[in-house]
Amino acid sequence: MNLDQQGDTSLLKIDNLSFHYGNATILKNMNLHIQSPGLYALHGESGSGKTTFMNIVALIQKPSTGQMTLFNQSIDFTNQEQIDEYRKKIAYFFQDLNLIESLTVRENLHVISLINEQEMSNDRLIEQAEKLKMSEKLDVTVSQLSGGERQRAAFLKIMLFDYSLILLDEPTNNLDKDNIQMMLDMLSELKKTKTILVVTHSETIVQQADVVFRFEELNKRNQAI
């Protein structure tokens, strides 16, 4: 995929981004530029700072230094109004799934629709739930779901609502082979029109990606100067 095919349009642009926690340098002088829809894999070892990086892209954490552009707009991490507005355009699939245990799957999705100010189409919900084999689980509380069902419930929001950027942090954890293939099929469909950045150890996802970024090559913290 040619990352320059759309000129100066920047879906995601990271310039010299660093993040320090106390005396520790977690991220150092990272640069990343994505201009086109597609599936982009961020591949690297555990503990290398990938989740911290994704939290910054998701506007959850603030970088120590550097610049970030989203949807062709420079991000001001001190501007809470801008941060809140842009978060509505981003779907973030957390490793902890960020589901409310005491609510049903349907109720969780309703909360998301209110937060993102997007109406939830019941017809689309039925269609996507069927694809994810969650039709019988929509009115079951999250606390009663298996690990794989929780993964699929969290993934349902990505299929249900309209997001400009989709961030996935190890989305195939707790899924068996058939469910992994089902998720890959969904990602293959989404990547035609959406920008998807996925942190993964899965070689299967890496093989399906349009572009693979090796995190250790992007993050200069362990590289000799």
Side-chain angles (χ1 to χ4, degrees):
M1 178 180 293
N2 182 359
L3 299 185
D4 295 321
Q5 64 186 19
Q6 296 187 20
D8 294 330
T9 300
S10 297
L11 294 172
L12 173 62
K13 186 178 180 183
I14 303 290
D15 291 310
N16 298 316
L17 186 143
S18 296
F19 181 83
H20 309 290
Y21 185 77
N23 294 324
T25 298
I26 309 301
L27 306 174
K28 182 178 179 181
N29 296 336
M30 291 192 62
N31 294 279
L32 179 67
H33 195 184
I34 294 175
Q35 291 177 289
S36 309
L39 179 59
Y40 299 82
L42 197 57
H43 195 48
E45 297 178 0
S46 297
S48 59
K50 298 188 303 299
T51 296
T52 298
F53 175 74
M54 291 288 269
N55 283 342
I56 292 173
V57 175
L59 307 178
I60 295 170
Q61 289 181 272
K62 176 183 176 181
S64 301
T65 59
Q67 296 180 323
M68 186 169 83
T69 298
L70 275 177
F71 321 127
N72 215 33
Q73 294 292 323
S74 179
I75 297 299
D76 179 1
F77 282 90
T78 66
N79 185 339
Q80 193 60 47
E81 183 178 352
Q82 183 195 37
I83 296 298
D84 290 342
E85 188 62 30
Y86 274 49
R87 277 181 181 167
K88 297 174 185 177
K89 302 180 180 181
I90 302 170
Y92 190 0
F93 189 106
F94 294 84
Q95 286 193 46
D96 64 8
L97 303 180
N98 203 31
L99 296 169
I100 302 173
E101 293 278 322
S102 60
L103 298 183
T104 66
V105 174
R106 191 190 304 271
E107 289 168 342
N108 267 276
L109 294 170
H110 182 64
V111 169
I112 294 168
S113 76
L114 294 176
I115 293 173
N116 290 344
E117 299 178 348
Q118 293 189 43
E119 290 188 12
M120 187 169 70
S121 165
N122 191 59
D123 289 343
R124 182 164 176 79
L125 173 59
I126 292 171
E127 175 190 357
Q128 297 302 325
E130 184 176 347
K131 288 181 180 179
L132 287 168
K133 299 180 181 178
M134 288 295 290
S135 300
E136 305 300 320
K137 302 293 182 178
L138 291 177
D139 295 306
V140 175
T141 57
V142 170
S143 61
Q144 295 177 303
L145 299 178
S146 68
E149 288 168 347
R150 290 172 185 233
Q151 292 280 88
R152 284 181 277 144
F155 198 73
L156 188 54
K157 75 173 183 179
I158 297 172
M159 303 303 300
L160 191 59
F161 300 110
D162 185 26
Y163 296 101
S164 300
L165 177 63
I166 299 171
L167 307 175
L168 306 175
D169 193 354
E170 298 292 355
T172 57
N173 282 358
N174 301 316
L175 295 182
D176 58 25
K177 182 178 179 181
D178 289 341
N179 281 317
I180 289 174
Q181 186 56 54
M182 179 173 59
M183 183 170 289
L184 287 174
D185 291 342
M186 296 288 187
L187 292 177
S188 295
E189 184 64 27
L190 282 171
K191 75 175 188 176
K192 296 175 183 177
T193 57
K194 304 293 183 182
T195 301
I196 306 168
L197 181 60
V198 53
V199 164
T200 185
H201 291 101
S202 169
E203 289 296 334
T204 304
I205 290 183
V206 167
Q207 291 168 8
Q208 295 286 328
D210 298 301
V211 177
V212 178
F213 298 108
R214 300 294 173 181
F215 194 76
E216 286 77 13
E217 296 176 4
L218 296 178
N219 190 6
K220 309 298 190 300
R221 69 170 183 169
N222 293 321
Q223 297 183 17
I225 301 177

